[in-house]
Amino acid sequence: MDPLFLSRLQFAAATFFHFLFVPLTLGLSLLVATMETKWVRTGDKTYLRMTKFWGKLFLINFAIGVVTGITLEFQFGTNWSRYSAYVGDIFGSLLAIEATAAFFLESTFIAVWVFGWKKLSPRFHATVAWLIFFGANISAVWILLANGWMQNPVGYVIRNGRAELESFTAVITNSFGWQQFLHTVSGSFLVGAMFVMGISAWHLLRKSNVDFFRRSFRLALPLGIFASLFVAVQGHFHGNEVASVQPAKLAAMEAHWETTDHAPMHLLVLPDPEDERNSMEFIKLPSMLSILAYNDPSATVKGLKDFPEDERPPVQLTFWSFRIMVGLGTLFIALMGWAWLKRNDIENQKALLWALLLAIPLPYLALQAGWAVAEVGRQPWIVYGIMRTSDAVSPAINSAQVWFSLGSIVAIYTLLGITGFWLIVHYAKKGPKAA
């Protein structure tokens, strides 16, 4: 295998593993801050126990997430040096802001929160919890603006053979990056809500700490409903942006081969990229793809055949990842609706509790699939339209070196993953300390 393929495999493995922990950090930090605020406002000790129980799970998750994110930034220098040299003026500045203005502050606030229980007033301690939440989300803003620039490069000029920053304002107001932020963060809120609801369901099935976990469930449920609806509605507008900026990605997401107006959408499709067609199409919805892409039933949607073969993204992976994301998103809305209807008698709803418990991994899967759509669907470009991935790999590395680093990362991350998930499961099953 060539160094390019192995480097892509290595970055994908590291990114997808790291992204198992980031969404829960974003979502659970909001719920923990809410619980602590309720304790400060009401004096109800149950909310204090909730803060400490869910806060412990948050801290384990955050620690593993930090460790697994470190190698990503090193890889820009080791495996993708030509990319770093070409766009480092822009991409590097965004990562630097994320590290210094967001991540360090977030980490500092977490240390204050952990060690400040007996040194800070309850009100100030709760304020620190909110600072952790805002710090985590500000960090996500800068990371996704950096990725948004790779998806839709703006505010730059090609000078001396490299991309240089011309307008910082254009970069930080890039609508593609903000659409990605809203989509990712709302999905992360859903991860946090379903994590709390799923673990609460497990304890309610066992009739342990019923009042504690019933209240945890009821606190997370509104966030789950809001996030499941918001991510679907906002996803439509993000799709409009993809249609406008990256039409090849949209065509791959829908396995749309022929350019046509009044473009239909089929609910059941089996792509056949080798023959540039779909081997199966059922349940045709006339003009639906034109509506979804451009909010216009007569709009023309460009098909994959009108893109050069070497500028088409991998169709199968993009198409199926998109289907998994959308299918699960629909399932989450139904599940949250069911939970809302039964919320007043949740401890006696065994079928719903089992569904919530078994659904814990599903929002993670939906987010991973969405990330695959974003990254695989952008190929063959690492920076859309101006730099191919094949031109970004470091010229000095060889296959043996990347095999070694890839194997090391997989081995270490597997160990970290087993340890992290074991700790989360152990403390989740153990439940809160007695009142």
Side-chain angles (χ1 to χ4, degrees):
M1 293 183 186
D2 65 280
L4 171 62
F5 177 79
L6 290 170
S7 294
R8 295 174 72 174
L9 190 61
Q10 178 176 303
F11 198 83
T15 303
F16 281 100
F17 190 81
H18 175 60
F19 203 57
L20 286 173
F21 301 95
V22 173
L24 187 59
T25 295
L26 299 174
L28 195 53
S29 62
L30 174 59
L31 290 171
V32 170
T34 304
M35 292 167 187
E36 187 165 0
T37 302
K38 281 184 168 289
W39 168 58
V40 171
R41 295 184 64 181
T42 65
D44 188 334
K45 291 293 182 63
T46 300
Y47 286 119
L48 177 60
R49 293 173 66 216
M50 288 166 63
T51 303
K52 292 190 173 182
F53 172 72
W54 296 109
K56 180 182 292 184
L57 301 181
F58 165 79
L59 292 174
I60 296 169
N61 178 80
F62 176 80
I64 302 295
V66 169
V67 174
T68 56
I70 292 173
T71 64
L72 289 172
E73 298 197 13
F74 284 123
Q75 288 182 51
F76 289 118
T78 56
N79 297 62
W80 304 102
S81 62
R82 288 196 292 192
Y83 166 79
S84 298
Y86 191 69
V87 304
D89 188 51
I90 305 164
F91 191 78
S93 63
L94 297 172
L95 286 190
I97 294 171
E98 186 273 336
T100 55
F103 174 70
F104 286 159
L105 284 177
E106 177 192 4
S107 301
T108 302
F109 293 142
I110 285 179
V112 172
W113 191 77
V114 170
F115 297 106
W117 281 105
K118 295 182 180 178
K119 297 180 175 63
L120 304 176
S121 70
R123 188 178 296 275
F124 188 59
H125 197 272
T127 302
V128 173
W130 282 105
L131 292 175
I132 293 170
F133 164 70
F134 287 117
N137 281 270
I138 291 172
S139 182
V141 166
W142 291 108
I143 290 292
L144 291 169
L145 283 177
N147 186 268
W149 186 83
M150 296 167 72
Q151 305 279 352
N152 179 35
V154 294
Y156 72 97
V157 60
I158 302 297
R159 184 182 296 130
N160 301 319
R162 58 193 295 272
E164 296 184 0
L165 184 62
E166 185 178 58
S167 171
F168 187 68
T169 302
V171 172
I172 64 173
T173 57
N174 185 353
S175 61
F176 203 102
W178 284 103
Q179 292 277 7
Q180 287 197 140
F181 169 76
L182 292 173
H183 203 58
T184 305
V185 168
S186 55
S188 300
F189 289 169
L190 184 61
V191 168
M194 290 188 66
F195 178 82
V196 171
M197 294 167 69
I199 292 174
S200 298
W202 189 81
H203 283 278
L204 291 173
L205 282 166
R206 300 177 72 242
K207 304 297 182 187
S208 66
N209 291 287
V210 171
D211 179 63
F212 179 95
F213 285 106
R214 185 198 301 119
R215 293 167 75 170
S216 294
F217 166 87
R218 290 179 67 92
L219 190 142
L221 177 59
L223 179 63
I225 291 173
F226 167 78
S228 63
L229 293 173
F230 183 86
V231 76
V233 173
Q234 190 274 334
H236 168 71
F237 295 106
H238 189 29
N240 292 159
E241 185 103 9
V242 171
S244 173
V245 175
Q246 298 180 341
K249 177 189 285 186
L250 175 78
M253 287 160 60
E254 297 291 349
H256 180 67
W257 296 97
E258 305 285 350
T259 298
T260 178
D261 53 15
H262 296 281
M265 188 177 77
H266 296 85
L267 293 185
L268 297 176
V269 178
L270 197 59
D272 180 6
E274 293 201 357
D275 294 325
E276 297 185 325
R277 67 186 183 89
N278 295 325
S279 58
M280 183 186 78
E281 291 178 342
F282 287 118
I283 312 180
K284 181 179 179 179
L285 303 177
S287 299
M288 184 54 72
L289 183 54
S290 293
I291 294 172
L292 291 176
Y294 298 106
N295 300 318
D296 178 359
S298 63
T300 300
V301 180
K302 194 173 180 180
L304 282 162
K305 287 184 179 179
D306 278 351
F307 295 94
E309 284 191 45
D310 65 347
E311 293 186 8
R312 298 176 191 171
V315 174
Q316 293 282 19
L317 189 50
T318 308
F319 173 85
W320 289 113
S321 297
F322 180 65
R323 286 294 184 280
I324 290 171
M325 179 183 68
V326 173
L328 288 174
T330 306
L331 175 66
F332 298 148
I333 294 173
L335 185 58
M336 291 301 105
W338 186 13
W340 177 258
L341 292 175
K342 302 298 183 183
R343 66 189 183 283
N344 293 327
D345 188 34
I346 185 62
E347 61 269 29
N348 297 315
Q349 303 295 324
K350 285 191 175 181
L352 174 57
L353 292 174
W354 274 110
L356 290 169
L357 175 61
L358 296 174
I360 290 176
L362 297 184
Y364 289 92
L365 177 60
L367 277 171
Q368 296 281 356
W371 201 239
V373 173
E375 298 303 286
V376 176
R378 187 186 61 211
Q379 301 302 318
W381 306 101
I382 191 168
V383 181
Y384 200 78
I386 67 172
M387 188 180 201
R388 289 175 181 267
T389 307
S390 56
D391 296 328
V393 71
S394 300
I397 57 173
N398 58 48
S399 297
Q401 291 170 327
V402 189
W403 266 120
F404 178 77
S405 58
L406 173 60
S408 301
I409 285 174
V410 170
I412 293 171
Y413 278 20
T414 300
L415 181 61
L416 284 171
I418 292 172
T419 304
F421 286 120
W422 182 85
L423 286 171
I424 289 173
V425 171
H426 172 74
Y427 284 106
K429 290 171 68 176
K430 190 175 179 181
K433 290 183 178 179

